Each structure stands twice: as structure tokens, then as C-alpha cells.
Amino acid sequence: MIGIIRVFTTDDQEIIEQHGKVITKTYEVPTVTKCIPDQPLGIFNDETEEVAIPKIVKLGKDLEQQGCHVIVISCAADPAVAELRKEVSIPVIGAGSSAALAALAIGEPVGVIGITDEPPAVIESLLGPYYTGYIRPDGVRNTTDLLSPDGRKKGLDAAKTLINQGAKVILFACTGFSTIGLANVLRDELGVPIIDAVEAEGMFAAALYKQLTASNGK
């Protein structure tokens, strides 16, 4: 299986499994998802990320023990990716780096949309000269703000602004955008590639999983 780590806390199993379901449906691979404890608001600043790192590492080690072949940390900031790689013997994939690398493969200027004041450092760093700018949609602080028709319009307006600034690819710096299906909204309206972070992490994880299971004869 592919083990997926969600970096917030909830008892709602349907919400927990949303990203895994996207990956399973898109790439036809099995997934299992766990969330870190005692962080209902997830990671939203340096302090909450620091607290989350040991929790993510513990979950990752547990998932390896449960037989997972690949681990995905489903957060665009790639929290604890480096730390977990030192503790397990299987590949560890981060959503942010996956999205940035998928965007780079297109070879065009990339505009980034997220819900924080600044883009995740890993995304901006990897994009390098292809990074054209970052926008947080007006009035949006979390993904639920985008659930309404007005919220989706704000997401669309943000993407149009980035395109007007020269972007030819739009990258989501928030895995929660996948949960609300924003990619399909923008794909229906805009004539540019949309890089969804959950789809991107799934693409890399699925390729590794299929390679590893094929070589192991499992």
C-alpha cells in the first residue's frame, strides 16, 4: 500500500481518507491514511509545524511497519519529509515538492495559489526562475472559504490574475484544494495546465509503488 499522512486531527474518517481516495481513483493503487493527533487546526505556522514533526515521523514509521511501500506526507509545505526519510527505508514523498516538480516538467512560468500569506518555501525554491508569483484568494484563510460559489469565483479570479501576470501554469500550494475539487472548476474555465498537489503526490507515489511491487513480485 501507499501510506498517506494527513497533518491535522479529525475523527471523521471520510475526511481523513479524501486524499487517498483521489490517488486510488486516479492511479489505481491501494492507499491507507492516518492523521496526526492533537492538532485539529493542522499546521499553519512554524510553531505548529515544529510540534507536528515528531508526530509525522512516528506515523511514518508505523506505516512502514504495517507494510507500506511508499509514504506520502499530504501537505504542500512538505513538513517532516527530510526527518522521516532518515528514519524509514522506504520512499517518502511530499506534496509541495511533487507539485513543483510536476509544474517544472511543463517548462512554462508558474503561478501559485494558496491559503497562507506566503508560498511554501519548498515550492518557491524548486520552481526557481519559473516562479512568477503567489496569490491567496481574497478573503480566503482555509479551504472551507472556497466551498461556496463566491469562494470558487475568488479562486478563479486569483488564477486569472496570475495568468495576466504571465503565468502559463497554475499550481495549488494547498492540498485542501483537491478536497473541494477546485482543479476541475479552473480546468473548465481556463486554458492552462492546473497542478493539483494531491494528484501530483499521487503520480510520483504511484509510479514508485508500481515499480517496487513489480520488482518484489507482490
Side-chain angles (χ1 to χ4, degrees):
M1 292 181 293
I2 295 172
I4 299 172
I5 298 176
R6 302 295 304 276
V7 299
F8 73 107
T9 307
T10 179
D11 292 326
D12 189 326
Q13 198 62 28
E14 183 176 351
I15 292 175
I16 291 174
E17 293 177 355
Q18 282 173 333
H19 294 178
K21 288 179 178 178
V22 169
I23 292 171
T24 295
K25 180 179 179 180
T26 305
Y27 302 106
E28 300 182 338
V29 290
T31 62
V32 59
T33 307
K34 305 289 184 181
C35 68
I36 62 174
D38 304 320
Q39 288 194 225
L41 298 179
I43 293 174
F44 52 88
N45 56 25
D46 291 342
E47 290 75 21
T48 51
E49 180 172 349
E50 184 176 351
V51 171
I53 285 174
K55 301 174 186 179
I56 295 169
V57 170
K58 182 181 184 303
L59 268 185
K61 292 168 72 174
D62 291 345
L63 287 167
E64 182 181 32
Q65 290 296 315
Q66 292 171 23
C68 290
H69 292 76
V70 181
I71 294 172
V72 171
I73 300 176
S74 198
C75 173
D78 281 15
V81 166
E83 291 85 351
L84 183 54
R85 283 173 176 163
K86 297 175 182 177
E87 298 292 333
V88 298
S89 60
I90 58 178
V92 177
I93 304 296
S97 50
S98 294
L101 292 170
L104 281 174
I106 299 172
E108 297 284 358
V110 181
V112 182
I113 299 177
I115 61 173
T116 54
D117 290 332
E118 301 290 336
V122 65
I123 290 178
E124 186 173 358
S125 174
L126 282 172
L127 289 178
Y130 289 95
Y131 173 77
T132 63
Y134 174 80
I135 286 182
R136 175 176 57 82
D138 183 44
V140 172
R141 289 290 180 182
N142 57 63
T143 53
T144 58
D145 292 333
L146 291 165
L147 288 173
S148 68
D150 183 58
R152 287 194 173 89
K153 181 180 183 302
K154 289 177 179 178
L156 178 60
D157 289 344
K160 288 180 177 177
T161 297
L162 289 169
I163 291 170
N164 289 336
Q165 292 173 354
K168 297 187 181 300
V169 179
I170 300 297
L171 184 157
F172 290 164
C174 175
T175 56
F177 289 170
S178 181
T179 304
I180 63 173
L182 185 61
N184 288 335
V185 173
L186 299 193
R187 286 165 181 158
D188 287 342
E189 296 286 340
L190 305 173
V192 301
I194 306 298
I195 305 298
D196 180 295
V198 173
E199 293 174 357
E201 71 188 13
M203 176 179 66
F204 287 107
L208 279 169
Y209 172 80
K210 290 175 181 179
Q211 176 181 319
L212 291 169
T213 54
S215 64
N216 291 335
K218 297 179 182 179

